[in-house]
Amino acid sequence: MTDASRASSALTPDTPVDAFIDHLKRVVGDKHVLTKDAATRRYRTGFRFGTGPVTAVVRPGSLVEQWRILKACIDTDRIVITQAANTGLTGGSTPDGNDYDREIVIINTLRLAHIQLIDEGRQALCLPGATLDQLEKALAPLGREPHSVIGSSCLGASVFGGVCNNSGGSLVKRGPAYTELALYARVREDGALELVNHLGITLGQGEPETLLERVERGEFRPDDIELDRGVASDPDYQNHVRDIDADTPARFNNDPRRLYEASGSAGKLMVFALRLDTFPMEKNTQVFYLGTNDPDQLTELRRTVLREFDTLPVAGEYMHRDAYDIAERYGKDTFLTIARFGTHRLPTLFKWKSTLDSLAGRVPGLPENLSDHVLQRLGRFFPAHLPARMTEYRNRFEHHLLLKVSEESLEQTRRTLAHLFDGTQGAYFECTPEEGKKAFLHRFAAAGAAVRYRIIHSEDVEDIVALDIALKRNERQWLEQLPEAVDRPLIHKLYYGHFFCHVMHQDYIVAKGTDCLALEHEMWKLLDARGAEYPAEHNVGHLYTAKPALTSFYRDLDPCNCFNPGIGQTSKHRGWKEDASAPHTPST
């Protein structure tokens, strides 16, 4: 038994906080245990939503360290929230308020950014800190790519975040991120911590630490890998999304068909390794930029493509003109940063941004979120960043669609667009490579633009109501019409999304003085009446209520409620108990 293991065996729920912190530091080193408010701020505050106090943020540098930290938390009866890049949009990887019945430890896994390619690159074995950008770069020399390539889910996001949240991404053919091949820890109903190896890789016998070392070092042979064990992506999605007359959505977080152990787990397990399929890289793609003032034109295009095309499009991204405008002004610095530095620099830039805001918070008179005010002002000094033809279409058309197709369907796409978009109501052009790149980057800058708007106009804005919805596959009236009473307090309605999958992101910027929670609940009623599901791909976090199937899944995974309690507005208490006497201070 190692010194760290012996020390861990002495930990109990009665261990003083100082002794617990000292133990964490012995495991990972002093600089990787953060306890001061300024140091933990960026880890305990969600990108859009969620915040709360924590006892510590711990950053393990190996799977063995991660296991030891987890064991220490379980032994001392502390809550564990696992987090990678913290780029989620629903607060699912941070605390929410101060009404938990135990102390919270965030285990941040970004130091564990390791990837091993197996089966000649047809699959990847990823550790907890691996990012989609990192995986994309590792696969590029082999002519392959990960499940998600570029999108709101990919700007600095982790591979694990996609799988654990059933994220769908922007690629039409691939559906939600999914695998049945995982190595994870769970706490059984009797409180015992166990390591479960469902990777489909033979690791031999030994204690959990021994097995975790073997995985991290890649100490297994090709013969140890079972290539016919389980699936490592959604095998049925292409047929599923093509069923345009189905009365249910194509993909959504509450879909029982894609809830399996780590997949959709939302932090209710401690996942150490995932095995995932990779995909042949799309070659010689072409982006078409479409504009129309008639949403029925886009409906007809979607149904025609899904019904008749031999090869599905690579991506089909919708953007309303209002979302276009907000993203152009309030997402400009995001656009320019990614265009100049790439997505792999975003975690570092987020760190600098958080540090600046933390320092500014100590100076009286400086605004909150100082970095956002600075970046917004700096953006004004840069010239117009969007192509002229996009600007022309913005002026002519209310509805915009970015359609990326592979070489196999290029001529079929041209014939279809020439027939459906003849210039009377809508039009299109074939993008140059530079125009296509900028069009998609602009679309994905929209995901954070509403947040920036709220910060800059805080005196007028109460908050953002952000909905992530999956419409029925047979839905023709996809553009919502809100009742006047619901529409009245809205300053802006920002609509964008993955059009062919019928997954829409709808961000509402709400006027000061409005009860945003009541407003959101009214919107839920409208969605229920339309047969929509929500959330579609960002998971419930602390914004949405987990429906019965999802709640049951969480309880089966985590019967003691040790991991990420409160997710989906479920119980925050040990054993899933409710305690009405606990004070609740909701996060903002």
Side-chain angles (χ1 to χ4, degrees):
M1 182 181 291
T2 65
D3 291 342
S5 297
R6 276 192 291 270
S8 179
S9 66
L11 296 175
T12 71
D14 296 325
T15 300
V17 172
D18 289 347
F20 173 69
I21 297 297
D22 287 343
H23 173 77
L24 301 183
K25 291 179 178 179
R26 286 195 297 273
V27 174
V28 301
D30 288 8
K31 71 176 183 178
H32 297 300
V33 178
L34 312 177
T35 57
K36 295 182 179 180
D37 284 351
T40 62
R41 181 182 185 274
R42 76 182 184 95
Y43 299 94
R44 56 183 171 82
T45 304
F47 177 69
R48 269 190 180 175
F49 177 87
T51 188
V54 299
T55 297
V57 174
V58 191
R59 303 181 298 191
S62 70
L63 295 185
V64 170
E65 289 182 2
Q66 185 179 353
W67 170 267
R68 290 174 179 171
I69 295 300
L70 170 61
K71 190 173 188 309
C73 293
I74 301 304
D75 288 346
T76 59
D77 192 28
R78 285 181 167 85
I79 288 169
V80 175
I81 297 179
T82 311
Q83 173 194 95
N86 193 19
T87 57
L89 302 181
T90 58
S93 57
T94 62
D96 180 54
N98 65 354
D99 55 339
Y100 296 83
D101 62 348
R102 292 149 290 169
E103 294 179 345
I104 298 171
V105 174
I106 293 176
I107 300 180
N108 182 278
T109 63
L110 280 183
R111 293 179 66 209
L112 301 171
H114 306 302
I115 294 170
Q116 301 171 37
L117 301 183
I118 59 180
D119 190 24
E120 298 179 333
R122 284 184 283 270
Q123 289 189 332
L125 182 66
C126 297
L127 299 194
T131 65
L132 288 165
D133 180 83
Q134 179 188 2
L135 181 55
E136 185 178 351
K137 286 180 169 59
L139 292 169
L142 303 178
R144 302 187 71 83
E145 60 189 16
H147 169 272
S148 297
V149 179
I150 178 102
S152 57
S153 63
C154 200
L155 301 183
S158 70
V159 174
F160 275 40
V163 173
C164 294
N165 291 302
N166 283 141
S167 298
S170 64
L171 302 182
V172 178
K173 304 176 186 179
R174 297 180 190 169
Y178 180 78
T179 185
E180 297 173 0
L181 306 174
L183 176 67
Y184 61 87
R186 69 187 298 265
V187 177
R188 301 195 309 248
E189 194 165 1
D190 62 3
L193 179 66
E194 66 175 350
L195 184 69
V196 180
N197 178 18
H198 287 169
L199 274 177
I201 299 175
T202 301
L203 299 174
Q205 301 299 313
E207 295 296 316
E209 292 188 6
T210 301
L211 303 185
L212 291 168
E213 283 182 337
R214 289 173 186 164
V215 170
E216 186 164 356
R217 295 174 181 173
E219 292 180 355
F220 48 84
R221 302 165 301 172
D223 291 346
D224 294 326
I225 302 172
E226 301 174 59
L227 297 178
D228 58 352
R229 168 91 173 263
V231 298
S233 61
D234 187 336
D236 307 318
Y237 188 72
Q238 289 201 37
N239 293 327
H240 189 67
V241 74
R242 281 183 182 273
D243 189 357
I244 57 175
D245 294 317
D247 199 38
T248 56
R251 54 178 169 92
F252 54 99
N253 288 134
N254 195 48
D255 187 353
R257 65 190 284 273
R258 286 296 171 255
L259 297 175
Y260 186 89
E261 296 182 348
S263 296
S265 60
K268 301 302 286 183
L269 299 169
M270 173 67 78
V271 186
F272 290 93
L274 291 175
R275 184 173 149 196
L276 297 157
D277 286 336
T278 69
F279 303 86
M281 187 181 294
E282 300 281 2
K283 298 180 180 179
N284 301 320
T285 58
Q286 176 61 51
V287 175
F288 293 82
Y289 198 101
L290 288 67
T292 182
N293 291 312
D294 180 4
D296 290 342
Q297 272 196 301
L298 297 184
T299 301
E300 186 60 30
L301 174 66
R302 174 182 173 271
R303 293 179 64 85
T304 298
V305 168
L306 293 178
R307 182 179 60 240
E308 299 179 5
F309 274 34
D310 298 326
T311 302
L312 288 177
V314 177
E317 293 296 301
Y318 169 77
M319 198 174 195
H320 188 273
R321 178 159 54 197
D322 291 346
Y324 182 111
D325 290 347
I326 296 295
E328 181 179 22
R329 182 172 178 182
Y330 296 94
K332 185 175 182 179
D333 59 289
T334 299
F335 180 105
L336 296 174
T337 298
I338 296 170
R340 176 64 180 86
F341 299 109
T343 59
H344 68 286
R345 297 287 181 87
L346 287 183
T348 300
L349 295 174
F350 283 143
K351 181 179 179 179
W352 291 348
K353 184 176 181 296
S354 179
T355 299
L356 175 60
D357 288 339
S358 179
L359 292 172
R362 306 174 194 175
V363 180
L366 287 180
E368 291 186 19
N369 305 108
L370 175 64
S371 63
D372 289 280
H373 290 272
V374 171
L375 290 169
Q376 188 63 30
R377 287 182 179 275
L378 287 176
R380 299 177 184 177
F381 293 98
F382 289 87
H385 59 291
L386 299 179
R389 287 201 288 182
M390 283 178 57
T391 301
E392 179 198 354
Y393 269 47
R394 179 262 167 230
N395 294 333
R396 291 172 58 191
F397 301 116
E398 181 180 0
H399 306 286
H400 299 239
L401 185 73
L402 317 180
L403 182 60
K404 180 186 287 188
V405 301
S406 61
E407 189 175 27
E408 293 86 348
S409 59
L410 179 56
E411 291 306 319
Q412 191 174 19
T413 303
R414 285 171 173 158
R415 291 194 300 271
T416 300
L417 292 180
H419 173 66
L420 295 178
F421 286 74
D422 59 5
T424 56
Q425 281 291 326
Y428 68 94
F429 63 86
E430 293 191 31
C431 295
T432 66
E434 185 69 12
E435 286 175 327
K437 179 181 178 180
K438 288 185 174 182
F440 272 90
L441 185 50
H442 179 57
R443 151 65 185 88
F444 294 120
V451 176
R452 173 64 59 73
Y453 185 100
R454 178 187 64 186
I455 292 169
I456 301 301
H457 300 281
S458 59
E459 68 281 3
D460 300 317
V461 176
E462 183 67 31
D463 207 343
I464 300 167
V465 171
L467 297 181
D468 164 33
I469 70 171
L471 300 173
K472 297 183 297 183
R473 283 168 283 173
N474 65 355
E475 179 65 74
R476 291 176 181 267
Q477 303 302 317
W478 53 271
L479 187 64
E480 72 175 5
Q481 300 295 321
L482 293 175
E484 196 277 334
V486 175
D487 189 76
R488 190 185 311 120
L490 304 181
I491 299 173
H492 291 292
K493 296 174 290 187
L494 310 182
Y495 297 124
Y496 53 96
H498 315 308
F499 190 68
F500 288 90
C501 299
H502 254 192
V503 168
M504 300 296 292
H505 303 299
Q506 302 181 170
D507 294 345
Y508 307 93
I509 300 175
V510 185
K512 203 76 169 179
T514 304
D515 184 339
C516 290
L517 185 60
L519 180 66
E520 183 170 5
H521 288 174
E522 287 301 312
M523 291 179 172
W524 289 356
K525 293 177 185 177
L526 298 173
L527 293 173
D528 291 339
R530 298 173 68 192
E533 289 281 354
Y534 50 90
E537 62 176 7
H538 290 157
N539 221 319
V540 288
H542 290 285
L543 277 179
Y544 297 93
T545 301
K547 294 182 180 179
L550 194 56
T551 299
S552 177
F553 177 63
Y554 291 159
R555 294 186 70 140
D556 288 344
L557 293 180
D558 182 20
C560 296
N561 209 17
C562 302
F563 297 102
N564 210 8
I567 200 79
Q569 300 182 13
T570 58
S571 170
K572 293 182 176 180
H573 305 298
R574 64 171 63 82
W576 295 86
K577 297 177 182 178
E578 293 293 350
D579 183 3
S581 66
H584 176 60
T585 301
S587 66
T588 57

